[in-house]
Short mmCIF file of all heavy atoms in Angstrom, two decimals:
data_model
loop_
_atom_site.label_atom_id
_atom_site.label_comp_id
_atom_site.label_asym_id
_atom_site.label_seq_id
_atom_site.Cartn_x
_atom_site.Cartn_y
_atom_site.Cartn_z
N MET P 1 -2.12 -6.44 -19.78
CA MET P 1 -2.29 -7.00 -18.49
C MET P 1 -3.34 -6.28 -17.72
O MET P 1 -3.16 -4.97 -17.60
CB MET P 1 -0.98 -7.13 -17.84
CG MET P 1 -0.86 -8.28 -16.68
SD MET P 1 -1.67 -9.78 -17.08
CE MET P 1 -0.22 -10.89 -17.04
N ALA P 2 -4.26 -6.85 -17.15
CA ALA P 2 -5.31 -6.15 -16.39
C ALA P 2 -4.82 -5.82 -15.04
O ALA P 2 -4.24 -6.58 -14.30
CB ALA P 2 -6.56 -7.00 -16.22
N VAL P 3 -4.96 -4.54 -14.64
CA VAL P 3 -4.58 -4.11 -13.29
C VAL P 3 -5.79 -3.94 -12.46
O VAL P 3 -6.87 -3.66 -12.93
CB VAL P 3 -3.65 -2.82 -13.29
CG1 VAL P 3 -2.39 -3.22 -13.97
CG2 VAL P 3 -4.43 -1.74 -13.91
N THR P 4 -5.54 -4.11 -11.18
CA THR P 4 -6.64 -3.90 -10.21
C THR P 4 -6.33 -2.71 -9.32
O THR P 4 -5.16 -2.46 -8.98
CB THR P 4 -7.06 -5.16 -9.38
OG1 THR P 4 -8.06 -4.98 -8.60
CG2 THR P 4 -5.83 -5.60 -8.64
N GLU P 5 -7.34 -2.09 -8.71
CA GLU P 5 -7.07 -1.04 -7.74
C GLU P 5 -7.72 -1.38 -6.42
O GLU P 5 -8.94 -1.85 -6.41
CB GLU P 5 -7.64 0.34 -8.40
CG GLU P 5 -7.30 1.48 -7.42
CD GLU P 5 -7.85 2.84 -7.99
OE1 GLU P 5 -7.27 3.42 -8.90
OE2 GLU P 5 -8.93 3.18 -7.54
N GLU P 6 -6.99 -1.33 -5.43
CA GLU P 6 -7.46 -1.61 -4.14
C GLU P 6 -7.14 -0.58 -3.06
O GLU P 6 -6.00 -0.07 -3.02
CB GLU P 6 -6.96 -3.04 -3.70
CG GLU P 6 -7.56 -3.60 -2.53
CD GLU P 6 -7.31 -5.11 -2.42
OE1 GLU P 6 -6.78 -5.73 -3.32
OE2 GLU P 6 -7.79 -5.69 -1.47
N LYS P 7 -8.04 -0.40 -2.21
CA LYS P 7 -7.84 0.57 -1.10
C LYS P 7 -7.64 -0.25 0.15
O LYS P 7 -8.50 -1.11 0.54
CB LYS P 7 -9.10 1.47 -0.95
CG LYS P 7 -8.77 2.81 -0.26
CD LYS P 7 -9.91 3.72 -0.33
CE LYS P 7 -9.87 4.68 -1.60
NZ LYS P 7 -10.72 5.80 -1.64
N ILE P 8 -6.58 -0.08 0.85
CA ILE P 8 -6.17 -0.81 1.98
C ILE P 8 -6.05 0.21 3.23
O ILE P 8 -5.30 1.17 3.15
CB ILE P 8 -4.84 -1.52 1.77
CG1 ILE P 8 -5.09 -2.60 0.72
CG2 ILE P 8 -4.36 -2.28 3.12
CD1 ILE P 8 -3.86 -3.29 0.14
N ASN P 9 -6.73 -0.19 4.28
CA ASN P 9 -6.62 0.71 5.46
C ASN P 9 -5.45 0.44 6.22
O ASN P 9 -5.07 -0.77 6.52
CB ASN P 9 -7.87 0.41 6.36
CG ASN P 9 -9.18 0.86 5.72
OD1 ASN P 9 -9.24 1.98 5.21
ND2 ASN P 9 -10.11 0.00 5.73
N VAL P 10 -4.70 1.45 6.53
CA VAL P 10 -3.40 1.34 7.27
C VAL P 10 -3.36 2.19 8.55
O VAL P 10 -3.77 3.34 8.51
CB VAL P 10 -2.27 1.85 6.33
CG1 VAL P 10 -0.90 1.64 7.03
CG2 VAL P 10 -2.17 1.09 5.02
N GLN P 11 -2.96 1.54 9.63
CA GLN P 11 -2.92 2.27 10.89
C GLN P 11 -1.46 2.63 11.25
O GLN P 11 -0.56 1.80 10.97
CB GLN P 11 -3.49 1.32 12.00
CG GLN P 11 -4.27 2.11 12.99
CD GLN P 11 -5.21 1.12 13.67
OE1 GLN P 11 -4.84 0.07 14.16
NE2 GLN P 11 -6.45 1.51 13.91
N GLY P 12 -1.35 3.72 11.76
CA GLY P 12 0.06 4.15 12.26
C GLY P 12 0.82 5.18 11.43
O GLY P 12 1.86 5.56 11.86
N MET P 13 0.24 5.61 10.36
CA MET P 13 0.86 6.59 9.56
C MET P 13 0.57 7.97 10.20
O MET P 13 -0.61 8.29 10.37
CB MET P 13 0.35 6.61 8.10
CG MET P 13 0.64 5.39 7.39
SD MET P 13 0.35 5.50 5.52
CE MET P 13 -1.46 5.72 5.58
N SER P 14 1.63 8.72 10.59
CA SER P 14 1.32 9.94 11.30
C SER P 14 1.93 11.17 10.61
O SER P 14 1.60 12.37 11.09
CB SER P 14 1.98 9.89 12.72
OG SER P 14 3.36 9.51 12.65
N CYS P 15 2.72 11.06 9.56
CA CYS P 15 3.16 12.27 8.88
C CYS P 15 3.55 11.94 7.40
O CYS P 15 3.36 10.73 6.98
CB CYS P 15 4.33 12.84 9.66
SG CYS P 15 5.81 11.75 9.53
N GLY P 16 4.08 12.95 6.67
CA GLY P 16 4.40 12.70 5.36
C GLY P 16 5.45 11.65 5.14
O GLY P 16 5.52 11.02 4.12
N HIS P 17 6.37 11.50 6.17
CA HIS P 17 7.34 10.53 5.96
C HIS P 17 6.83 9.07 5.97
O HIS P 17 7.28 8.31 5.29
CB HIS P 17 8.37 10.61 7.12
CG HIS P 17 9.23 11.93 7.18
ND1 HIS P 17 10.21 12.08 6.25
CD2 HIS P 17 9.12 13.02 7.76
CE1 HIS P 17 10.76 13.33 6.40
NE2 HIS P 17 9.97 13.85 7.33
N CYS P 18 5.72 8.95 6.82
CA CYS P 18 5.19 7.63 6.87
C CYS P 18 4.43 7.27 5.51
O CYS P 18 4.67 6.15 4.98
CB CYS P 18 4.09 7.59 7.94
SG CYS P 18 4.64 7.94 9.59
N THR P 19 3.66 8.27 4.93
CA THR P 19 3.01 7.98 3.69
C THR P 19 3.98 7.73 2.59
O THR P 19 3.83 6.80 1.80
CB THR P 19 2.04 9.07 3.24
OG1 THR P 19 2.78 10.34 3.37
CG2 THR P 19 0.89 9.21 4.24
N ALA P 20 5.11 8.41 2.61
CA ALA P 20 6.22 8.22 1.63
C ALA P 20 6.85 6.97 1.78
O ALA P 20 7.15 6.19 0.75
CB ALA P 20 7.31 9.37 1.77
N ALA P 21 7.08 6.46 2.93
CA ALA P 21 7.68 5.13 3.23
C ALA P 21 6.89 4.02 2.73
O ALA P 21 7.18 3.03 2.13
CB ALA P 21 7.96 4.96 4.79
N VAL P 22 5.53 4.17 2.97
CA VAL P 22 4.57 3.15 2.50
C VAL P 22 4.45 3.19 1.05
O VAL P 22 4.55 2.12 0.47
CB VAL P 22 3.08 3.35 3.12
CG1 VAL P 22 2.03 2.48 2.42
CG2 VAL P 22 3.11 3.03 4.69
N GLU P 23 4.36 4.25 0.41
CA GLU P 23 4.32 4.35 -1.11
C GLU P 23 5.58 3.72 -1.66
O GLU P 23 5.49 3.04 -2.65
CB GLU P 23 4.15 5.88 -1.51
CG GLU P 23 2.75 6.34 -1.21
CD GLU P 23 2.60 7.82 -1.46
OE1 GLU P 23 3.65 8.54 -1.75
OE2 GLU P 23 1.47 8.40 -1.34
N LYS P 24 6.72 4.06 -1.10
CA LYS P 24 7.99 3.59 -1.62
C LYS P 24 8.00 2.09 -1.56
O LYS P 24 8.49 1.39 -2.48
CB LYS P 24 9.19 4.23 -0.89
CG LYS P 24 10.46 4.12 -1.62
CD LYS P 24 11.61 4.85 -0.87
CE LYS P 24 12.88 4.32 -1.34
NZ LYS P 24 13.95 4.46 -0.25
N ALA P 25 7.65 1.49 -0.40
CA ALA P 25 7.79 0.07 -0.22
C ALA P 25 6.79 -0.55 -1.21
O ALA P 25 7.17 -1.66 -1.68
CB ALA P 25 7.30 -0.23 1.29
N LEU P 26 5.58 0.04 -1.50
CA LEU P 26 4.74 -0.71 -2.33
C LEU P 26 5.11 -0.62 -3.81
O LEU P 26 4.98 -1.58 -4.60
CB LEU P 26 3.35 -0.15 -2.11
CG LEU P 26 2.73 -0.47 -0.74
CD1 LEU P 26 1.27 0.07 -0.56
CD2 LEU P 26 2.79 -1.93 -0.37
N THR P 27 5.57 0.59 -4.24
CA THR P 27 5.94 0.68 -5.60
C THR P 27 7.28 -0.07 -5.99
O THR P 27 7.52 -0.41 -7.15
CB THR P 27 6.17 2.22 -6.00
OG1 THR P 27 7.04 2.81 -5.08
CG2 THR P 27 4.90 2.98 -6.10
N ALA P 28 7.98 -0.59 -4.89
CA ALA P 28 9.09 -1.37 -5.13
C ALA P 28 8.62 -2.81 -5.49
O ALA P 28 9.49 -3.65 -5.99
CB ALA P 28 9.96 -1.40 -3.87
N LEU P 29 7.45 -3.17 -5.16
CA LEU P 29 7.00 -4.51 -5.40
C LEU P 29 6.75 -4.73 -6.93
O LEU P 29 6.32 -3.88 -7.60
CB LEU P 29 5.64 -4.80 -4.67
CG LEU P 29 5.63 -4.87 -3.22
CD1 LEU P 29 4.27 -4.97 -2.60
CD2 LEU P 29 6.50 -6.14 -2.63
N PRO P 30 7.00 -6.02 -7.43
CA PRO P 30 6.69 -6.23 -8.86
C PRO P 30 5.23 -6.08 -9.19
O PRO P 30 4.41 -6.50 -8.37
CB PRO P 30 7.23 -7.67 -9.01
CG PRO P 30 7.19 -8.24 -7.71
CD PRO P 30 7.53 -7.15 -6.73
N GLY P 31 5.02 -5.44 -10.27
CA GLY P 31 3.61 -5.29 -10.70
C GLY P 31 2.80 -4.11 -10.13
O GLY P 31 1.73 -3.95 -10.63
N VAL P 32 3.36 -3.46 -9.21
CA VAL P 32 2.65 -2.34 -8.65
C VAL P 32 2.91 -1.05 -9.43
O VAL P 32 4.07 -0.67 -9.64
CB VAL P 32 3.09 -2.06 -7.10
CG1 VAL P 32 2.44 -0.86 -6.61
CG2 VAL P 32 2.66 -3.32 -6.29
N GLU P 33 1.91 -0.58 -10.01
CA GLU P 33 1.99 0.66 -10.88
C GLU P 33 2.05 1.83 -10.07
O GLU P 33 2.71 2.86 -10.42
CB GLU P 33 0.80 0.63 -11.87
CG GLU P 33 1.10 -0.16 -13.18
CD GLU P 33 -0.04 0.04 -14.16
OE1 GLU P 33 -1.00 0.98 -13.89
OE2 GLU P 33 -0.06 -0.72 -15.10
N LYS P 34 1.11 1.93 -9.12
CA LYS P 34 0.99 3.12 -8.42
C LYS P 34 0.50 2.89 -6.93
O LYS P 34 -0.23 1.89 -6.69
CB LYS P 34 -0.20 3.97 -9.04
CG LYS P 34 -0.04 5.41 -8.93
CD LYS P 34 -0.92 6.18 -9.91
CE LYS P 34 -2.35 6.27 -9.44
NZ LYS P 34 -3.24 7.06 -10.32
N ALA P 35 1.06 3.73 -5.99
CA ALA P 35 0.55 3.56 -4.62
C ALA P 35 0.41 4.97 -4.07
O ALA P 35 1.38 5.73 -4.07
CB ALA P 35 1.65 2.81 -3.73
N VAL P 36 -0.78 5.26 -3.60
CA VAL P 36 -1.02 6.58 -3.11
C VAL P 36 -1.62 6.56 -1.72
O VAL P 36 -2.63 5.99 -1.42
CB VAL P 36 -2.01 7.37 -3.95
CG1 VAL P 36 -2.18 8.81 -3.40
CG2 VAL P 36 -1.48 7.48 -5.41
N ALA P 37 -0.85 6.92 -0.73
CA ALA P 37 -1.19 6.89 0.65
C ALA P 37 -1.92 8.20 1.04
O ALA P 37 -1.42 9.26 0.66
CB ALA P 37 0.00 6.61 1.54
N ASP P 38 -2.92 8.09 1.83
CA ASP P 38 -3.70 9.18 2.29
C ASP P 38 -3.70 9.20 3.88
O ASP P 38 -4.12 8.41 4.51
CB ASP P 38 -5.11 9.09 1.77
CG ASP P 38 -5.98 10.38 2.08
OD1 ASP P 38 -5.80 10.93 3.25
OD2 ASP P 38 -6.64 10.91 1.22
N LEU P 39 -2.94 10.25 4.35
CA LEU P 39 -2.70 10.38 5.79
C LEU P 39 -4.01 10.62 6.58
O LEU P 39 -4.22 9.99 7.57
CB LEU P 39 -1.81 11.62 6.03
CG LEU P 39 -1.14 11.76 7.38
CD1 LEU P 39 -0.36 10.50 7.77
CD2 LEU P 39 -0.18 12.98 7.30
N GLU P 40 -4.96 11.43 5.98
CA GLU P 40 -6.12 11.74 6.74
C GLU P 40 -7.15 10.59 6.71
O GLU P 40 -7.81 10.18 7.65
CB GLU P 40 -6.80 12.95 6.19
CG GLU P 40 -6.23 14.19 6.78
CD GLU P 40 -6.79 15.52 6.16
OE1 GLU P 40 -7.88 15.47 5.59
OE2 GLU P 40 -6.11 16.54 6.31
N GLU P 41 -7.17 9.98 5.52
CA GLU P 41 -8.12 8.80 5.35
C GLU P 41 -7.58 7.56 5.92
O GLU P 41 -8.23 6.48 6.08
CB GLU P 41 -8.55 8.58 3.90
CG GLU P 41 -9.23 9.77 3.25
CD GLU P 41 -10.63 10.01 3.73
OE1 GLU P 41 -11.26 8.96 4.11
OE2 GLU P 41 -11.01 11.20 3.80
N LYS P 42 -6.26 7.51 6.26
CA LYS P 42 -5.55 6.43 6.86
C LYS P 42 -5.68 5.11 5.93
O LYS P 42 -6.08 4.02 6.25
CB LYS P 42 -6.13 6.00 8.23
CG LYS P 42 -5.86 7.07 9.21
CD LYS P 42 -6.34 6.62 10.52
CE LYS P 42 -6.03 7.54 11.69
NZ LYS P 42 -6.54 8.90 11.44
N ASN P 43 -5.38 5.39 4.59
CA ASN P 43 -5.38 4.24 3.70
C ASN P 43 -4.35 4.44 2.63
O ASN P 43 -3.75 5.53 2.41
CB ASN P 43 -6.76 4.06 3.15
CG ASN P 43 -7.35 5.16 2.26
OD1 ASN P 43 -6.54 5.85 1.58
ND2 ASN P 43 -8.64 5.41 2.35
N VAL P 44 -4.15 3.36 1.85
CA VAL P 44 -3.38 3.54 0.68
C VAL P 44 -4.04 2.85 -0.58
O VAL P 44 -4.67 1.81 -0.38
CB VAL P 44 -1.88 2.90 0.92
CG1 VAL P 44 -2.07 1.42 1.23
CG2 VAL P 44 -0.99 3.05 -0.34
N THR P 45 -4.03 3.55 -1.61
CA THR P 45 -4.76 2.98 -2.78
C THR P 45 -3.63 2.49 -3.74
O THR P 45 -2.72 3.24 -4.13
CB THR P 45 -5.59 4.18 -3.46
OG1 THR P 45 -6.49 4.70 -2.57
CG2 THR P 45 -6.33 3.62 -4.77
N VAL P 46 -3.75 1.25 -3.96
CA VAL P 46 -2.61 0.59 -4.76
C VAL P 46 -3.29 0.06 -6.06
O VAL P 46 -4.30 -0.54 -6.10
CB VAL P 46 -2.11 -0.64 -3.96
CG1 VAL P 46 -0.82 -1.13 -4.61
CG2 VAL P 46 -1.92 -0.30 -2.53
N THR P 47 -2.49 0.49 -7.17
CA THR P 47 -2.89 -0.07 -8.45
C THR P 47 -1.82 -1.10 -8.83
O THR P 47 -0.63 -0.78 -8.88
CB THR P 47 -2.87 1.08 -9.51
OG1 THR P 47 -3.72 2.21 -9.06
CG2 THR P 47 -3.43 0.72 -10.91
N TYR P 48 -2.28 -2.32 -9.09
CA TYR P 48 -1.28 -3.40 -9.29
C TYR P 48 -1.83 -4.53 -10.19
O TYR P 48 -2.98 -4.60 -10.37
CB TYR P 48 -0.79 -3.96 -7.96
CG TYR P 48 -1.80 -4.74 -7.17
CD1 TYR P 48 -1.86 -6.07 -7.20
CD2 TYR P 48 -2.84 -4.05 -6.51
CE1 TYR P 48 -2.83 -6.85 -6.49
CE2 TYR P 48 -3.82 -4.78 -5.75
CZ TYR P 48 -3.75 -6.13 -5.82
OH TYR P 48 -4.71 -6.86 -4.99
N ASP P 49 -0.87 -5.27 -10.65
CA ASP P 49 -1.24 -6.51 -11.50
C ASP P 49 -1.27 -7.64 -10.67
O ASP P 49 -0.29 -8.13 -10.11
CB ASP P 49 -0.08 -6.63 -12.56
CG ASP P 49 -0.21 -7.90 -13.36
OD1 ASP P 49 -1.32 -8.60 -13.22
OD2 ASP P 49 0.62 -8.17 -14.17
N PRO P 50 -2.44 -8.14 -10.42
CA PRO P 50 -2.64 -9.32 -9.47
C PRO P 50 -1.93 -10.59 -9.92
O PRO P 50 -1.83 -11.49 -9.11
CB PRO P 50 -4.21 -9.50 -9.37
CG PRO P 50 -4.75 -8.88 -10.55
CD PRO P 50 -3.77 -7.76 -10.91
N GLY P 51 -1.53 -10.58 -11.17
CA GLY P 51 -0.79 -11.70 -11.57
C GLY P 51 0.70 -11.70 -11.16
O GLY P 51 1.32 -12.75 -11.16
N GLN P 52 1.12 -10.63 -10.67
CA GLN P 52 2.52 -10.46 -10.29
C GLN P 52 2.68 -10.27 -8.71
O GLN P 52 3.63 -10.69 -8.13
CB GLN P 52 3.25 -9.22 -10.92
CG GLN P 52 3.50 -9.40 -12.33
CD GLN P 52 4.24 -8.32 -12.96
OE1 GLN P 52 5.45 -8.10 -12.56
NE2 GLN P 52 3.66 -7.45 -13.78
N THR P 53 1.74 -9.57 -8.09
CA THR P 53 1.72 -9.36 -6.66
C THR P 53 0.36 -9.62 -6.12
O THR P 53 -0.65 -9.20 -6.73
CB THR P 53 2.16 -7.90 -6.46
OG1 THR P 53 3.55 -7.71 -6.78
CG2 THR P 53 1.99 -7.44 -5.05
N SER P 54 0.27 -10.18 -4.98
CA SER P 54 -1.02 -10.44 -4.36
C SER P 54 -1.25 -9.41 -3.24
O SER P 54 -0.44 -8.68 -2.86
CB SER P 54 -0.97 -11.86 -3.78
OG SER P 54 -0.18 -11.94 -2.65
N ARG P 55 -2.55 -9.38 -2.85
CA ARG P 55 -2.83 -8.49 -1.67
C ARG P 55 -1.97 -8.82 -0.56
O ARG P 55 -1.62 -7.97 0.29
CB ARG P 55 -4.35 -8.67 -1.37
CG ARG P 55 -4.80 -7.57 -0.45
CD ARG P 55 -6.31 -7.79 0.00
NE ARG P 55 -6.83 -6.62 0.70
CZ ARG P 55 -6.63 -6.39 2.00
NH1 ARG P 55 -5.96 -7.24 2.79
NH2 ARG P 55 -7.09 -5.30 2.53
N ASP P 56 -1.81 -10.15 -0.33
CA ASP P 56 -0.90 -10.60 0.84
C ASP P 56 0.44 -9.94 0.80
O ASP P 56 1.04 -9.62 1.77
CB ASP P 56 -0.80 -12.13 0.89
CG ASP P 56 -2.06 -12.77 1.45
OD1 ASP P 56 -2.94 -12.09 1.89
OD2 ASP P 56 -2.25 -13.99 1.38
N ASP P 57 0.98 -9.94 -0.39
CA ASP P 57 2.36 -9.30 -0.57
C ASP P 57 2.36 -7.84 -0.24
O ASP P 57 3.24 -7.39 0.42
CB ASP P 57 2.86 -9.44 -2.07
CG ASP P 57 3.05 -10.90 -2.48
OD1 ASP P 57 3.39 -11.74 -1.65
OD2 ASP P 57 2.79 -11.24 -3.76
N ILE P 58 1.28 -7.19 -0.61
CA ILE P 58 1.16 -5.78 -0.32
C ILE P 58 1.07 -5.49 1.19
O ILE P 58 1.69 -4.70 1.81
CB ILE P 58 -0.10 -5.20 -1.06
CG1 ILE P 58 0.24 -5.20 -2.53
CG2 ILE P 58 -0.47 -3.80 -0.57
CD1 ILE P 58 -0.99 -4.87 -3.43
N VAL P 59 0.15 -6.32 1.82
CA VAL P 59 0.00 -6.30 3.33
C VAL P 59 1.35 -6.52 4.02
O VAL P 59 1.69 -5.81 4.96
CB VAL P 59 -1.06 -7.32 3.71
CG1 VAL P 59 -1.06 -7.35 5.34
CG2 VAL P 59 -2.47 -6.92 3.29
N LYS P 60 2.05 -7.49 3.57
CA LYS P 60 3.33 -7.78 4.17
C LYS P 60 4.36 -6.71 4.05
O LYS P 60 5.05 -6.31 4.91
CB LYS P 60 3.88 -9.13 3.48
CG LYS P 60 4.66 -10.07 4.38
CD LYS P 60 5.01 -11.28 3.68
CE LYS P 60 6.51 -11.50 4.04
NZ LYS P 60 7.16 -12.51 2.94
N ALA P 61 4.34 -6.00 2.86
CA ALA P 61 5.24 -4.97 2.61
C ALA P 61 4.95 -3.80 3.57
O ALA P 61 5.83 -3.14 4.11
CB ALA P 61 5.23 -4.53 1.18
N ILE P 62 3.64 -3.56 3.76
CA ILE P 62 3.16 -2.40 4.74
C ILE P 62 3.74 -2.77 6.10
O ILE P 62 4.21 -1.92 6.81
CB ILE P 62 1.72 -2.17 4.65
CG1 ILE P 62 1.28 -1.75 3.19
CG2 ILE P 62 1.26 -1.31 5.66
CD1 ILE P 62 -0.23 -1.72 2.96
N GLU P 63 3.46 -4.02 6.53
CA GLU P 63 3.72 -4.43 7.88
C GLU P 63 5.32 -4.39 8.10
O GLU P 63 5.86 -4.06 9.23
CB GLU P 63 3.20 -5.77 8.15
CG GLU P 63 1.60 -5.79 8.33
CD GLU P 63 1.08 -7.15 8.42
OE1 GLU P 63 1.68 -8.16 8.15
OE2 GLU P 63 -0.11 -7.15 8.77
N GLU P 64 6.04 -4.68 7.01
CA GLU P 64 7.49 -4.68 7.22
C GLU P 64 8.03 -3.31 7.41
O GLU P 64 9.07 -3.04 7.90
CB GLU P 64 8.21 -5.34 6.02
CG GLU P 64 8.25 -6.83 6.06
CD GLU P 64 8.71 -7.53 4.79
OE1 GLU P 64 9.00 -6.73 3.76
OE2 GLU P 64 8.72 -8.78 4.77
N GLU P 65 7.33 -2.30 6.93
CA GLU P 65 7.60 -0.92 7.12
C GLU P 65 7.24 -0.44 8.61
O GLU P 65 7.55 0.65 9.07
CB GLU P 65 6.98 -0.01 6.13
CG GLU P 65 7.49 -0.08 4.75
CD GLU P 65 8.92 0.39 4.66
OE1 GLU P 65 9.28 1.32 5.31
OE2 GLU P 65 9.76 -0.41 4.13
N GLY P 66 6.51 -1.28 9.30
CA GLY P 66 6.19 -1.01 10.67
C GLY P 66 4.75 -0.46 10.86
O GLY P 66 4.39 0.05 11.95
N TYR P 67 3.91 -0.55 9.81
CA TYR P 67 2.57 -0.16 9.97
C TYR P 67 1.58 -1.30 9.92
O TYR P 67 1.96 -2.38 9.50
CB TYR P 67 2.14 0.87 8.76
CG TYR P 67 3.19 1.94 8.78
CD1 TYR P 67 4.20 1.97 7.78
CD2 TYR P 67 3.12 2.93 9.69
CE1 TYR P 67 5.16 2.96 7.82
CE2 TYR P 67 4.16 3.97 9.71
CZ TYR P 67 5.01 3.99 8.64
OH TYR P 67 6.10 5.00 8.74
N GLU P 68 0.41 -1.02 10.46
CA GLU P 68 -0.52 -2.14 10.62
C GLU P 68 -1.71 -2.01 9.56
O GLU P 68 -2.27 -0.95 9.45
CB GLU P 68 -1.11 -2.07 12.01
CG GLU P 68 -1.59 -3.43 12.48
CD GLU P 68 -2.22 -3.26 14.00
OE1 GLU P 68 -1.77 -2.48 14.74
OE2 GLU P 68 -3.17 -4.05 14.20
N VAL P 69 -1.98 -3.11 9.00
CA VAL P 69 -3.20 -3.17 8.13
C VAL P 69 -4.46 -3.60 8.87
O VAL P 69 -4.32 -4.59 9.59
CB VAL P 69 -2.91 -4.16 6.91
CG1 VAL P 69 -4.13 -4.27 6.08
CG2 VAL P 69 -1.75 -3.70 6.11
N VAL P 70 -5.44 -2.81 8.75
CA VAL P 70 -6.63 -3.18 9.52
C VAL P 70 -7.78 -3.66 8.67
O VAL P 70 -7.80 -3.37 7.49
CB VAL P 70 -7.09 -1.97 10.43
CG1 VAL P 70 -6.12 -1.78 11.66
CG2 VAL P 70 -7.17 -0.76 9.65
CU1 CU H 101 5.79 9.63 9.96
#
């Protein structure tokens, strides 16, 4: 199965707990292999199978954690 890697800009992450929360929420989604949040760059790089999870699902999971996708 082909996976895709996408960098998503996230606003509101202010410490290591925030990046951990975002990473945890995303890796819990089906088809997400890897999620690496970068506090300084204010983004998260997600490696996922677009056949199982869409970008919209990812955005929704981030927003449900209380962060904003820009
Ligand atoms: Cu925090």
Side-chain angles (χ1 to χ4, degrees):
M1 202 41 118
V3 292
T4 184
E5 189 182 278
E6 191 161 353
K7 203 170 266 190
I8 295 171
N9 294 314
V10 181
Q11 215 159 47
M13 297 190 297
S14 56
C15 70
H17 292 285
C18 299
T19 54
V22 168
E23 288 172 354
K24 195 178 162 208
L26 295 184
T27 49
L29 293 173
V32 174
E33 272 186 10
K34 209 166 82 175
V36 181
D38 189 314
L39 195 56
E40 277 177 20
E41 299 289 328
K42 296 180 173 61
N43 63 35
V44 58
T45 303
V46 193
T47 307
Y48 67 103
D49 174 1
Q52 290 188 66
T53 289
S54 69
R55 188 184 192 280
D56 282 353
D57 295 328
I58 292 169
V59 169
K60 216 175 131 199
I62 295 171
E63 288 174 346
E64 276 171 3
E65 286 301 313
Y67 306 103
E68 203 182 331
V69 174
V70 288

